[in-house]
Amino acid sequence: MRNSDHPLPGGMASAETAPAGLVRHISKRFGATLALRNVSLAVHRGEALALLGENGAGKSTLIKILSGVYQPDEGEILIDGKPQVFAAPPDAIAAGIVLIPQELQVAGQRSVAENICLSAIPARRMLGFVPSLDRKRMRETSTAILARLGSSIDPDVKVGRLSFAERQMVVVARALTNQAKVLILDEPTASLGDADTERLLDVLVGLKRDGVAIIYITHRLPEVRHIAERCMVLRDGQLAGEFSAQNFDEAAVTLAMSGRTTVLVESRVSARRDESVLAVPLGRRKIAVASGEVVGVAGLIGSGAASSVRKLFGLGDQTIQVDTGAGSLVIDDPGAAIKAGFGFVAGERSLGAFPNLTVRQNIILPYINAYSNPLYFHRKRIDSAVADLLTLLDVRPADPSAKMGALSGGNQQKVLFARCLIGQLRLLLLDEPTAGIDVGAKARIHRLIDDFVRAGGSTIVASTDMPELVSLCDRILAVRAGTVVADLPRGNGFDEPAIRSAMGNT
């Protein structure tokens, strides 16, 4: 945009020189909250534009306007130089704008081929007039698109059997059936390991060569150098900075995002206390977790690391037994886990968030009995506790009556963490706890985890973010094929290559 090859959003241009996607002077208000103020951006064919900003900066609102979910109060959208009005997402898709949200939208019980062709189902006519599904052409189409992406996924397999990374590739393939001119990806690597991240970025580089324009939202700044020619920073609903690949500087970008030069995520000093120990099943072993201890679970995508933690919250298909100094706890569903004092924050927010309920309801729901009795509902206590948590976690907007689904993904993650803090927990279970949140929010959550264990709680955290585990944990368990293959203490510092080797990531 501020470059001789990319003119500023302004006057008309020919279809050949016009940006693939352009928004001019967009503003959007939700009640008293001004989510976007006079924002303009352009993205050109074969270019990737990184869109950066802290949670609540306006990124989600902007891409929802581009993809037809919201309509702007002011401003306009142009595709290939032609003004567009999107009343709903199908209008945006028809114009060539395809959004891949952080929470993937797939039909788990349908095949890969059916999911890829979902918005352009091939049909044929039997006896010349009876329409029927053309499965042969559907399979050929999906196979060709997957091959273009360098993927060997079986088009006949059910999507529900795929890993997160494979499901994401299916959604990218679906975007190509829609003849995407502008592909928008919202935190696409938040739940991916290093190898899957590299594969996805390579696929996107190939799409750029084919002339697809990409808008890429991420909190992982090193990825910007890999994928983007330019980046734009939003702060408080306004454009706060613009950088080219040639002058991209992480300190300057962080300053533009937050108004602060650096945000430190410090390694914790162990607060372990051995007087209270839980013995929890992880894979085929019972693992002791001490009071005041953070235990990390590290594994590649599909290793069973994340599912092992989910099972401890009663989300598996088997009943588990947790041994305590006072006896045993039987966990056969999430209700039993909550009653036992376990809290869980999932990396896939769809597992824990209720988008049609308010923020207040999402926080208090599992612990409503603690704030009520048969004769009285303690609304003032609830409102006070929720308000304190929204301030503590810097949830934006800090409105307990807002619908959960109206918040950005990062702010939804903060609300789910607030839910755990409002309960009287003994064990905090975390699966990718900082996926899709900015560096400032990440530091804040790390400090809250540290406060929790210093108060005597125990934490088990599964993450594909190795620096996060190294920063947070007293011990790290390496998991491979559902089995704990190494138990590595912090000691004088973790040997990160040894952890990766134990995981099988050599």
Side-chain angles (χ1 to χ4, degrees):
M1 286 165 50
R2 295 174 189 170
N3 179 303
S4 58
D5 296 326
H6 296 156
L8 278 166
M12 296 299 291
S14 69
E16 289 75 19
T17 61
L22 168 66
V23 298
R24 288 198 295 217
H25 310 302
I26 292 289
S27 295
K28 180 67 178 177
R29 183 182 291 277
F30 297 97
T33 301
L34 186 58
L36 290 174
R37 179 185 298 169
N38 195 32
V39 172
S40 299
L41 67 78
V43 60
H44 292 254
R45 297 175 189 82
E47 177 192 37
L49 171 69
L51 186 59
L52 308 177
E54 292 192 323
N55 300 128
K59 305 184 302 297
S60 293
T61 300
L62 181 58
I63 64 172
K64 286 179 178 178
I65 287 174
L66 265 170
S67 58
V69 177
Y70 296 151
Q71 289 69 50
D73 296 331
E74 300 174 12
E76 63 178 341
I77 301 171
L78 294 90
I79 303 299
D80 289 337
K82 298 177 182 178
Q84 305 283 336
V85 176
F86 302 146
D91 297 338
I93 292 171
I97 298 181
V98 181
L99 168 64
I100 298 180
Q102 194 172 342
E103 302 296 332
L104 300 181
Q105 297 170 345
V106 294
Q109 296 305 309
R110 312 307 298 181
S111 72
V112 167
E114 288 170 315
N115 272 269
I116 289 174
C117 297
L118 198 58
S119 56
I121 298 175
R124 56 191 176 90
R125 293 191 176 273
M126 297 177 63
L127 304 176
F129 61 90
V130 180
S132 66
L133 182 63
D134 190 340
R135 292 192 176 276
K136 181 174 183 291
R137 187 149 59 94
M138 178 185 289
R139 196 178 192 285
E140 290 171 349
T141 298
S142 59
T143 299
I145 292 175
L146 289 169
R148 176 183 172 188
L149 297 176
S151 173
S152 59
I153 299 172
D154 182 352
D156 296 321
V157 73
K158 295 281 181 66
V159 165
R161 295 176 56 190
L162 301 180
S163 70
F164 183 89
E166 290 169 329
R167 296 199 304 273
Q168 191 170 59
M169 199 61 66
V170 169
V171 176
V172 173
R174 184 197 300 159
L176 298 185
T177 68
N178 291 310
Q179 303 297 313
K181 298 175 182 177
V182 180
L183 182 62
I184 306 171
L185 298 103
D186 186 7
E187 296 289 350
T189 63
S191 298
L192 298 184
D194 292 343
D196 288 319
T197 294
E198 287 294 322
R199 277 192 286 271
L200 177 62
L201 294 178
D202 287 345
V203 164
L204 297 181
V205 169
L207 293 181
K208 287 198 300 178
R209 286 196 295 265
D210 292 341
V212 178
I214 293 172
I215 297 177
Y216 189 89
I217 297 176
T218 185
H219 288 112
R220 296 182 175 182
L221 296 186
E223 292 177 8
V224 175
R225 286 196 182 92
H226 189 127
I227 188 66
E229 282 70 35
R230 296 180 297 128
C231 74
M232 298 182 67
V233 177
L234 291 179
R235 185 169 81 235
D236 297 329
Q238 301 180 76
L239 180 63
E242 186 176 346
F243 304 85
S244 69
Q246 289 74 28
N247 65 7
F248 183 82
D249 177 79
E250 286 195 20
V253 171
T254 300
L255 178 60
M257 287 171 58
S258 65
R260 304 180 297 274
T261 53
T262 58
V263 180
L264 296 178
V265 180
E266 298 177 351
S267 296
R268 65 184 296 272
V269 177
S270 175
R272 179 172 176 170
R273 305 169 184 173
D274 287 320
E275 66 269 19
S276 176
V277 175
L278 297 173
V280 300
L282 275 174
R284 300 179 182 88
R285 293 174 54 181
K286 279 284 183 79
I287 302 296
V289 183
S291 168
E293 184 178 33
V294 180
V295 177
V297 183
L300 303 177
I301 298 291
S303 67
S307 61
S308 296
V309 174
R310 288 196 292 269
K311 288 175 182 176
L312 295 177
F313 196 67
L315 292 172
D317 53 8
Q318 294 179 335
T319 298
I320 66 166
Q321 180 175 297
V322 175
D323 298 328
T324 73
S328 296
L329 301 171
V330 175
I331 309 296
D332 53 7
D333 59 29
I338 291 170
K339 187 176 180 180
F342 296 2
F344 176 60
V345 178
E348 290 191 60
R349 281 183 278 277
S350 59
L351 295 177
F354 301 97
N356 293 321
L357 298 183
T358 66
V359 168
R360 179 192 294 108
Q361 290 166 329
N362 268 272
I363 290 174
I364 199 66
L365 195 58
Y367 306 103
I368 193 68
N369 289 338
Y371 289 86
S372 63
N373 59 50
L375 299 177
Y376 187 69
F377 184 69
H378 297 281
R379 180 61 181 263
K380 287 186 177 180
R381 282 183 58 208
I382 291 173
D383 288 347
S384 176
V386 168
D388 288 346
L389 286 169
L390 296 183
T391 300
L392 180 66
L393 287 161
D394 190 27
V395 176
R396 305 180 194 178
D399 179 4
S401 63
K403 287 287 174 51
M404 183 72 155
L407 271 61
S408 69
N411 280 295
Q412 289 185 33
Q413 189 76 354
K414 295 178 190 177
V415 171
L416 295 180
F417 200 87
R419 177 191 295 167
C420 287
L421 295 181
I422 208 167
Q424 299 297 314
L425 303 184
R426 64 194 301 176
L427 177 62
L428 183 57
L429 302 167
L430 305 172
D431 174 17
E432 304 288 353
T434 58
I437 65 173
D438 61 71
V439 65
K442 184 174 184 176
R444 188 176 294 109
I445 284 178
H446 283 195
R447 286 194 293 270
L448 290 171
I449 293 171
D450 191 58
D451 291 343
F452 174 73
V453 294
R454 287 185 180 281
S458 304
T459 299
I460 299 176
V461 52
S463 178
T464 54
D465 184 346
M466 187 59 66
E468 175 167 69
L469 290 179
V470 168
S471 172
L472 274 178
C473 298
D474 300 298
R475 295 155 57 208
I476 295 178
L477 308 175
V479 175
R480 193 188 301 180
T483 301
V484 176
V485 295
D487 186 342
L488 306 164
R490 174 181 289 277
N492 294 322
F494 287 115
D495 183 348
E496 193 168 325
I499 298 170
R500 293 188 182 277
S501 177
M503 290 163 49
N505 186 10
T506 55

